[in-house]
Amino acid sequence: MSGWVGVVALALVALAFVGYLSMTAGRLDHLHRRIESARSTLDAHLLRRATVSAELGTSALLDPAASLVLAASAHDASRPDLDDGARMQAESDLTAALVAALDPEDVAEVAKVAVGADLLGDLAAACRRVQLSRRFHNDAVRACRQVRRQRLVRLFRLAGHTAMPQPWEMDDSTPLG
């Protein structure tokens, strides 16, 4: 009889271990889906920021040099053929162009025109959304990487052949103006 108790206890321990692995694999899958969703949202907000920046650059409300730099940076940031590293750099360059083109004095002049005030409001909203969506994406990446570093996850290859997620690193500061 004591042999059966040992077998049942061993079976319960094995079942609990398999349950733990299953829950961890499910959590990992959920985190990967969350990263994909956050990345899609981030891409949409980055595209919106580039579109509004291009509109502002071509609106003739800024001086010609700032308009040219802003429009060119917005075009580079919205190119679909860039890999992630080049795209992060292009987005950081767009942020630098926005900071350079939108000093507080120029913003005050642009805001006097109704179209300019609308564009500046849209740009401010797009910049806030980029910051938030990048933060959500990077938080999901951090959580996923933390789970994937666990020994049991690596040992049992619970992540499968999915590439290790990478954070989205760029300068997303909002211009002072």
Side-chain angles (χ1 to χ4, degrees):
M1 178 110 177
S2 67
W4 285 102
V5 173
V7 170
V8 170
L10 187 60
L12 287 176
V13 169
L15 187 63
F17 182 69
V18 168
Y20 171 76
L21 289 178
S22 176
M23 286 181 6
T24 304
R27 180 172 180 228
L28 200 53
D29 183 55
H30 173 74
L31 286 170
H32 280 282
R33 281 184 285 152
R34 191 170 124 199
I35 290 169
E36 288 175 16
S37 174
R39 176 63 189 269
S40 296
T41 303
L42 177 61
D43 285 340
H45 291 308
L46 288 170
L47 183 61
R48 178 65 182 148
R49 183 180 81 142
T51 302
V52 174
S53 297
E55 288 178 23
L56 185 61
T58 58
S59 68
L61 295 172
L62 300 172
D63 66 89
S67 293
L68 182 63
V69 169
L70 192 56
S73 293
H75 172 72
D76 289 343
S78 61
R79 287 180 41 201
D81 61 333
L82 297 177
D83 65 347
D84 283 350
R87 180 129 182 255
M88 284 185 252
Q89 184 59 50
E91 293 294 345
S92 293
D93 292 344
L94 176 57
T95 300
L98 285 168
V99 169
L102 297 176
D103 63 27
E105 297 164 359
D106 291 339
V107 169
E109 291 297 318
V110 172
K112 290 179 183 176
V113 180
V115 174
D118 290 344
L119 286 173
L120 290 173
D122 290 347
L123 182 62
C127 287
R128 278 192 306 274
R129 288 185 180 116
V130 164
Q131 289 173 338
L132 288 173
S133 59
R134 187 176 80 86
R135 189 175 305 142
F136 286 139
H137 176 269
N138 287 349
D139 286 347
V141 167
R142 181 193 43 75
C144 184
R145 290 172 73 115
Q146 185 176 14
V147 171
R148 287 183 68 163
R149 279 195 296 267
Q150 294 175 3
R151 259 189 217 133
L152 289 176
V153 172
R154 289 186 319 231
L155 180 67
F156 288 99
R157 299 177 186 245
L158 297 181
H161 297 288
T162 307
M164 182 68 84
Q166 300 299 319
W168 189 266
E169 298 297 333
M170 62 171 268
D171 178 15
D172 63 357
S173 56
T174 303
L176 293 176

